[in-house]
């Protein structure tokens, strides 16, 4: 679960650095690191590796929340669109995962990987998370760099 927060937070931290707010980013990371150490000292003796996992999730969640707080102070973000896109991507991933999970006993894993890619790509295009034009633009970018 902590990885989810890590993936959400990474662009937030990068954005803060890109707009010259490295100090805010560093302070945030220092606060979260301190909390993580304290939580590990408390939770590991009580819950072993599960305590470390709990500390990690709490720390990443705080890092994400603080990143959102700081980004909102400096950049106008269309959170509605962002949350909607995230929900559509998560839905696509869940549907793909369910297909792969239920077909696992019947199909070879290499075929399942290809099927998963097709299902996921179909869903994100169908829900217009990404468009065919954006995919074309991406391929054009690769063509320009290779020539």
């Amino acid at each position: 679960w902590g990885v989810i927060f890590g993936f959400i937070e990474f662009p937030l931290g990068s954005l803060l650095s890109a707009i010259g707010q490295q100090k805010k980013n560093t302070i945030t990371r220092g606060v979260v690191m301190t909390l993580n150490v304290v939580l590990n000292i408390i939770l590991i003796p009580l819950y072993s590796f599960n305590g470390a996992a709990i500390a990690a999730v709490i720390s990443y969640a705080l890092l994400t929340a603080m990143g959102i707080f700081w980004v909102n102070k400096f950049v106008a973000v269309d959170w509605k669109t962002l949350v909607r896109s995230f929900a559509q991507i998560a839905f696509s991933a869940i549907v793909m995962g369910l297909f792969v999970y239920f077909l696992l006993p019947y199909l070879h894993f290499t075929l399942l990987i290809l099927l998963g890619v097709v299902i996921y790509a179909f869903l994100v295009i169908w829900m217009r998370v990404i468009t065919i034009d954006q995919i074309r633009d991406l391929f054009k970018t690769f063509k320009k760099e290779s020539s």
Side-chain angles (χ1 to χ4, degrees):
W1 289 106
V3 173
I4 293 170
F5 290 115
F7 277 111
I8 294 170
E9 188 284 327
F10 180 78
L12 298 171
S14 297
L15 178 61
L16 286 171
S17 294
I19 61 172
Q21 297 299 320
Q22 299 90 329
K23 188 174 180 182
K24 303 275 192 281
N25 202 12
T26 303
I27 290 169
T28 296
R29 291 175 187 282
V31 167
V32 170
M33 178 202 61
T34 303
L35 174 69
N36 185 272
V37 170
V38 169
L39 287 174
N40 275 300
I41 290 170
I42 294 168
L43 295 174
I44 289 175
L46 297 172
Y47 302 108
S48 181
F49 60 88
N50 289 321
I54 292 166
V57 171
I58 291 170
S59 297
Y60 268 122
L62 178 62
L63 189 63
T64 302
M66 291 178 77
I68 290 169
F69 172 80
W70 288 120
V71 166
N72 273 331
K73 294 275 185 193
F74 299 103
V75 179
V77 177
D78 182 1
W79 291 104
K80 181 180 175 185
T81 301
L82 196 60
V83 168
R84 186 181 71 233
S85 294
F86 178 79
Q88 290 171 318
I89 290 167
F91 174 78
S92 301
I94 290 167
V95 170
M96 175 201 65
L98 290 172
F99 266 94
V100 169
Y101 177 78
F102 287 114
L103 292 175
L104 191 59
Y106 308 106
L107 298 174
H108 193 268
F109 76 94
T110 51
L111 193 57
L112 285 171
I113 291 170
L114 293 172
L115 181 63
V117 167
V118 169
I119 290 169
Y120 184 78
F122 169 79
L123 288 171
V124 294
I125 292 169
W126 178 66
M127 289 189 287
R128 295 194 175 116
V129 176
I130 58 172
T131 64
I132 298 295
D133 288 338
Q134 289 171 326
I135 294 169
R136 284 188 193 120
D137 289 344
L138 178 66
F139 283 116
K140 285 179 189 175
T141 303
F142 286 120
K143 281 184 180 181
K144 286 179 186 175
E145 288 186 16
S146 65
S147 34

